[in-house]
Amino acid sequence: MSNSSSRAGMLLGWLSITTLGTCALPATAGSVHELSRAPQIVSVTQGGQATASIVLETRAVAVKETGPKLTVAKFGEVYGFSPTFFVVQENQPTRIRFWNLQPDDAHDFELLGPHAHQLVALALPPLSDVSAIFDFHRPGLYTFRCTLHQPEMNGQILVVAAAHR
């Protein structure tokens, strides 16, 4: 299987999602499709029920419009995610809302799995409110980042094991 065929892209409205694992296509396109032979790590859908939610914002730390000018001169524009760390429970569908608060800067969200393999990629256009439901199927520490603003724009998601009853 080639790299391009092992990853699938889809358009959910204007939201572009690429995943490795399982991803639900829009209702008009059909049912859930397996996108990789790799063991499923995370499922991502645009709709459905979530039992938890979080808002992940893009933040301007230092930009040309507001400065500080010396910081921008030395490092260029600097952005970050807020929060940079959060915890979710394994097999608990969690809605993550991505707010890109910048009127003139695009961002993206890339979720990395074991060995830094890309699991999910989302486009975050300027002034956007993008929402997706993530269901993690393996406990662990996952890194996320904006590939457009490295090395400063990143964070981590800790997936804890589901409580046994």
Side-chain angles (χ1 to χ4, degrees):
M1 181 181 283
S2 73
N3 191 30
S4 62
S5 65
S6 69
R7 274 192 229 152
M10 73 174 77
L11 189 61
L12 300 175
W14 53 267
L15 164 67
S16 174
I17 297 180
T18 303
T19 68
L20 290 176
T22 300
C23 190
L25 295 175
T28 57
S31 60
V32 174
H33 295 273
E34 187 68 22
L35 301 177
S36 170
R37 293 180 189 262
Q40 184 174 330
I41 296 173
V42 62
S43 301
V44 181
T45 58
Q46 184 181 18
Q49 295 295 322
T51 56
S53 66
I54 187 162
V55 174
L56 188 61
E57 298 177 355
T58 64
R59 294 283 175 115
V61 177
V63 292
K64 61 184 175 256
E65 294 86 0
T66 59
K69 291 183 189 293
L70 291 175
T71 301
V72 174
K74 182 168 182 163
F75 297 101
E77 292 189 306
V78 179
Y79 297 95
F81 282 113
S82 180
T84 58
F85 178 84
F86 58 96
V87 178
V88 299
Q89 190 170 348
E90 171 190 24
N91 296 318
Q92 179 183 41
T94 302
R95 180 178 309 280
I96 302 178
R97 289 182 66 186
F98 301 90
W99 289 358
N100 181 353
L101 304 176
Q102 281 71 58
D104 59 350
D105 290 301
H107 295 285
D108 62 11
F109 172 87
E110 179 182 56
L111 180 67
L112 302 174
H115 311 292
H117 289 115
Q118 183 189 63
L119 298 175
V120 178
L122 302 172
L124 304 175
L127 293 177
S128 62
D129 181 351
V130 174
S131 182
I133 297 175
F134 288 70
D135 195 351
F136 288 88
H137 305 296
R138 286 193 191 167
L141 188 62
Y142 297 87
T143 298
F144 61 87
R145 64 185 180 181
C146 172
T147 62
L148 305 174
H149 300 101
Q150 283 299 296
E152 72 279 359
M153 197 170 180
N154 55 64
Q156 295 180 315
I157 302 171
L158 178 62
V159 179
V160 297
H164 296 286
R165 295 181 182 186

